[in-house]
């Protein structure tokens, strides 16, 4: 019951009602996976390949740091950087973030799902 909107650089948007949406973008990475659809963003996972599956919740500051590094166009000019970093800061304080260290297997998918559903609160799978 899932859909991959984007492979590499989705668009996050802070909406007037304070929800956050995620959309596919034409900057979709090597696979060319881009779907012109939008969904409400509820959880952010920063994925890292690892020998074992594990998950660790992030605080807002760590989520902000990771999101800012992954953001396009932040170094182009001061006005853009300020607007983007302010939006990233707001999103980081609203949306739970996790580091998901994972193997490319089914267990990693279930681990992320359990975190999304709220049943994972520590580092163990």
């Amino acid at each position: 019951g899932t859909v991959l909107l984007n492979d590499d650089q989705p668009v996050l948007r802070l909406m007037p009602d304070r929800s956050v949406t995620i959309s596919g973008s034409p900057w979709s990475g090597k696979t060319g996976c881009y779907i012109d659809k939008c969904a409400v963003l509820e959880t952010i996972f920063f994925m890292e390949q690892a020998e074992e599956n594990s998950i660790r919740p992030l605080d807002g500051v760590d989520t902000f740091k990771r999101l800012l590094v992954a953001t396009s166009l932040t170094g182009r000019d001061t006005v853009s950087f300020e607007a983007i970093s302010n939006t990233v800061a707001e999103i980081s304080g609203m949306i739970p973030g996790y580091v998901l260290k994972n193997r490319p297997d089914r267990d990693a998918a279930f681990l992320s799902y359990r975190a999304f559903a709220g049943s994972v609160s520590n580092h163990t799978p």
Side-chain angles (χ1 to χ4, degrees), residues 93-109:
M94 298 167 52
I95 305 294
Y98 294 89
V99 173
L100 174 64
K101 294 188 177 189
N102 63 292
R103 299 182 311 262
D105 63 20
R106 186 176 177 97
D107 289 340

Side-chain angles (χ1 to χ4, degrees), residues 107-120:
D107 289 340
F110 283 121
L111 179 60
S112 64
Y113 177 77
R114 287 194 309 272
F116 174 74
S119 62
V120 172

Side-chain angles (χ1 to χ4, degrees), residues 16-55:
D17 68 358
R18 310 305 297 156
S19 65
V20 179
T21 61
I22 185 168
S23 304
S25 79
W27 302 278
S28 59
K30 296 174 189 161
T31 66
C33 174
Y34 157 61
I35 296 176
D36 188 16
K37 292 196 177 196
C38 178
V40 174
L41 182 66
E42 295 183 28
T43 308
I44 300 170
F45 294 96
F46 299 95
M47 297 172 65
E48 299 175 4
Q49 291 184 2
E51 295 294 318
E52 297 296 324
N53 294 328
S54 67
I55 196 161

Side-chain angles (χ1 to χ4, degrees), residues 61-83:
V61 173
D62 287 332
T63 300
F64 171 80
K65 290 177 187 176
R66 287 175 177 266
L67 275 179
L68 195 62
V69 169
T71 302
S72 298
L73 305 173
T74 56
R76 302 289 170 118
D77 63 76
T78 305
V79 174
S80 294
F81 178 78
E82 183 176 355

